[in-house]
Amino acid sequence: MSGHLAVGEPNAAAAIAGLASGRQMDVAVVRNFWRSVERIPAGASVGASPDARKRDIVVVSGWISETRILTDGRRQIFSFLLPGDVATVSSECHLGSRGLVALTNVEVADADALGGGSDRQRAIRQAIRCREDRLFDHVVRIGRLTAKERVLNLLLELCERLEVVGLVKENTFRVPLTQEVFADTLGLSVVHINRTLQQLRRDGLVTVGRGTVTLHQRHKLASVACYQQGGCDHHLTGWAYRSPAYI
Amino acid sequence: MSGHLAVGEPNAAAAIAGLASGRQMDVAVVRNFWRSVERIPAGASVGASPDARKRDIVVVSGWISETRILTDGRRQIFSFLLPGDVATVSSECHLGSRGLVALTNVEVADADALGGGSDRQRAIRQAIRCREDRLFDHVVRIGRLTAKERVLNLLLELCERLEVVGLVKENTFRVPLTQEVFADTLGLSVVHINRTLQQLRRDGLVTVGRGTVTLHQRHKLASVACYQQGGCDHHLTGWAYRSPAYI
DNA sequence: CGAGACTTTGACCGTAGTCAATTTATGTGG
DNA sequence: CCACATAAATTGACTACGGTCAAAGTCTCG
């Protein structure tokens, strides 16, 4: 059952397959890339190391959450970083801010290590902008959608993003999230997430279980969930992550 | 009653008072600045003009909302732009995106018209980043706070931001928002906003009415509303907007 | 004064939260 | 490979926060 769709387990093996994005690969770049890869265990925070400089990272494998925890223990998750995503870590984690927490074992690389081609720079900027754009979708989700819509909408976003990096087979993909994480992302309670998922299952809209999700009738789902297809083009497609060959 | 705290009515008279931010004002810069000022009537959208270039604007006076409207009519407001705020307008308003809508009569200037001093550039970047940071607070607000907390938290943010540009006197400031706008910002219904405000009034926490808000016991409010003081330093303080002298 | 926008109120409903117990994985050590 | 410990998912009973609908009351402004 494991190793089927290898999100969550670090599998950097093929991570740089498309690294040169269409042009000749430079051995020095590849070496540099590899030297910069860092492994982070599930549950640990990313970029909180004492070396306080601000830098961009690329997720090679695994899932990261962007989180804030309130003083009274309430938690809000802002977004997930999936393989291929870029984020800026600043480590100046002033309280009440947001932190990056690995939800699985994670591999991240230094975005600078990819070489400074101007189009690559542009791609990185673009990816960061995408991530910000997604935040607006998230505000709509928790601000104006019902529980059912929220869950579906999020699943659709995840599916679309994972698809871009080749981690979706026949509308099926791995989601290494507990229902509690879902709840803290969507502004709902765990119990209600549980019931909403059951409802969706009963309606035959999705199949969920043991970390795997399948979306049925995706087109119909999109309208049910007020989902805007393809929020922004993911120009980084295929250069930071490839799904391992054995999938 | 009008003209007391002149938010909402365009009052550019003193807008460039602090424009030179401590150093000698350059007459050419001032002229340039004035030439770039654009007046936008309440209700109109900002930066939707056909000249499709992407640019940064500075709000000189008035309030702007950043909004998305869903296909079924539901509306979500992401943020408010207040005097002194900077935003990037792209006019490529692809559907389902967000638009800038003037909530009052508004004056905006072209950020480039302020001259290209490198520290001013930095200040502009900083202001844009602040705006993005505020979005995270907003996610927490609608994702994890109760109605009462949401309202208070938002009012505290507005107060703090207006204070920076001198638009708060004794914890009192003008808020040219209808309860409907509040509702669509905080993910609540108008009716519930209304009842929540009454509750807050009854508790003696705030005074609201005819577009004016007064916060009582601000320190206490902050803890009630899970409000993080001073989300980010507003380095643009005082250079794009000054409250009119006659206040 | 009258029209239209905004606010306020009441009655009622339903979505989602809370609490607590139970069941089902998922591991871990012997 | 089983026994136990722990985390996660699920269920039921009950509550409450917030939504909806509709009507009435206020403001504003031409």
Side-chain angles (χ1 to χ4, degrees):
Chain A
M1 181 63 52
S2 82
H4 173 49
L5 284 169
V7 184
E9 298 87 48
N11 275 300
I16 52 169
L19 192 145
S21 75
R23 71 192 55 174
Q24 284 303 327
M25 264 199 272
D26 181 333
V27 175
V29 168
V30 174
R31 279 202 189 124
N32 220 15
F33 172 82
W34 276 110
R35 256 197 296 275
S36 80
V37 169
E38 201 178 327
R39 271 162 242 282
I40 295 153
S45 76
V46 181
S49 48
D51 54 338
R53 72 205 178 76
K54 173 177 162 180
R55 65 204 178 95
D56 293 335
I57 57 165
V58 179
V59 180
V60 175
S61 69
W63 288 44
I64 298 173
S65 69
E66 205 173 356
T67 303
R68 183 182 298 175
I69 295 183
L70 307 189
T71 48
D72 58 6
R74 282 178 283 188
R75 178 173 68 158
Q76 177 66 53
I77 295 176
F78 299 113
S79 70
F80 300 113
L81 301 182
L82 311 181
D85 283 337
V86 179
T88 303
V89 302
S90 49
S91 94
E92 34 159 294
C93 246
H94 39 84
L95 243 174
S97 185
R98 58 214 123 97
L100 298 180
V101 178
L103 295 173
T104 66
N105 291 331
V106 165
E107 292 171 312
V108 298
D110 198 319
D112 298 334
L114 290 163
S118 76
D119 47 329
R120 179 148 307 139
Q121 291 293 325
R122 196 158 14 83
I124 289 176
R125 291 284 146 269
Q126 164 79 3
I128 290 178
R129 208 169 318 120
C130 275
R131 185 175 132 271
E132 284 162 358
D133 280 350
R134 264 183 252 119
L135 199 56
F136 286 90
D137 296 341
H138 197 50
V139 171
V140 173
R141 231 173 344 236
I142 60 184
R144 277 302 177 218
L145 301 193
T146 65
K148 207 167 155 184
E149 290 169 329
R150 290 185 211 189
V151 172
L152 278 183
N153 192 298
L154 177 58
L155 289 178
L156 281 163
E157 182 196 300
L158 293 174
C159 182
E160 191 173 294
R161 289 168 61 194
L162 289 171
E163 208 158 38
V164 168
V165 285
L167 290 172
V168 179
K169 295 278 184 214
E170 297 162 28
N171 292 312
T172 301
F173 49 101
R174 297 215 70 207
V175 179
L177 306 178
T178 66
Q179 295 185 2
E180 192 182 358
V181 170
F182 258 95
D184 287 337
T185 303
L186 296 175
L188 298 165
S189 68
V190 194
V191 174
H192 199 61
I193 284 285
N194 184 288
R195 292 188 166 125
T196 304
L197 284 173
Q198 286 177 59
Q199 184 65 51
L200 293 175
R201 269 191 287 242
R202 242 177 283 127
D203 297 350
L205 298 173
V206 304
T207 304
V208 261
R210 53 189 79 242
T212 299
V213 173
T214 305
L215 302 183
H216 308 300
Q217 320 163 59
R218 244 171 100 181
H219 208 68
K220 185 182 153 198
L221 289 193
S223 69
V224 171
C226 295
Y227 185 71
Q228 291 279 339
Q229 188 98 8
C232 73
D233 298 322
H234 203 290
H235 288 160
L236 286 177
T237 303
W239 65 264
Y241 186 86
R242 287 279 149 143
S243 53
Y246 56 75
I247 286 185
Chain B
M1 181 59 57
S2 82
H4 173 50
L5 284 170
V7 185
E9 299 87 45
N11 276 301
I16 52 168
L19 191 145
S21 76
R23 73 193 55 174
Q24 284 305 326
M25 266 200 271
D26 180 331
V27 174
V29 168
V30 174
R31 279 200 189 128
N32 222 15
F33 173 82
W34 276 111
R35 256 197 295 275
S36 80
V37 170
E38 201 178 328
R39 269 164 243 283
I40 294 154
S45 76
V46 181
S49 48
D51 54 337
R53 70 206 179 75
K54 174 176 162 181
R55 66 207 178 95
D56 293 336
I57 57 166
V58 180
V59 180
V60 175
S61 68
W63 287 45
I64 297 173
S65 70
E66 205 172 356
T67 304
R68 183 182 298 176
I69 295 184
L70 306 189
T71 49
D72 60 3
R74 281 177 283 188
R75 178 172 68 161
Q76 177 65 54
I77 295 176
F78 300 113
S79 71
F80 300 113
L81 302 182
L82 311 181
D85 283 337
V86 178
T88 302
V89 302
S90 48
S91 94
E92 34 159 292
C93 245
H94 41 82
L95 245 175
S97 184
R98 57 215 124 97
L100 299 179
V101 178
L103 294 171
T104 66
N105 291 333
V106 164
E107 292 172 312
V108 299
D110 198 320
D112 297 334
L114 290 163
S118 77
D119 46 329
R120 180 148 308 139
Q121 290 293 325
R122 196 159 15 81
I124 290 177
R125 293 282 146 270
Q126 163 79 4
I128 290 179
R129 207 170 318 120
C130 276
R131 187 175 130 270
E132 285 161 357
D133 280 350
R134 264 183 252 120
L135 199 54
F136 286 91
D137 296 341
H138 197 49
V139 171
V140 173
R141 229 170 349 232
I142 62 184
R144 279 298 176 222
L145 302 192
T146 65
K148 205 167 157 182
E149 290 169 328
R150 291 184 209 189
V151 172
L152 279 182
N153 192 298
L154 178 58
L155 289 178
L156 282 162
E157 182 197 299
L158 293 175
C159 180
E160 191 173 294
R161 290 168 61 194
L162 289 171
E163 207 158 40
V164 168
V165 285
L167 290 171
V168 178
K169 296 277 183 214
E170 296 161 29
N171 292 314
T172 301
F173 49 100
R174 297 215 68 208
V175 179
L177 306 179
T178 65
Q179 294 184 3
E180 192 183 357
V181 169
F182 258 96
D184 287 337
T185 304
L186 296 174
L188 298 166
S189 68
V190 193
V191 174
H192 199 62
I193 284 285
N194 184 288
R195 292 191 165 120
T196 305
L197 284 173
Q198 286 177 57
Q199 184 65 50
L200 294 175
R201 271 190 286 242
R202 239 176 284 127
D203 297 349
L205 298 173
V206 302
T207 304
V208 260
R210 54 190 80 243
T212 299
V213 172
T214 304
L215 302 182
H216 308 299
Q217 319 164 58
R218 244 170 100 180
H219 209 68
K220 184 181 155 202
L221 289 193
S223 70
V224 171
C226 294
Y227 185 71
Q228 290 279 339
Q229 189 99 7
C232 72
D233 298 324
H234 203 292
H235 287 161
L236 287 176
T237 303
W239 63 263
Y241 187 87
R242 286 279 148 142
S243 52
Y246 57 74
I247 286 185

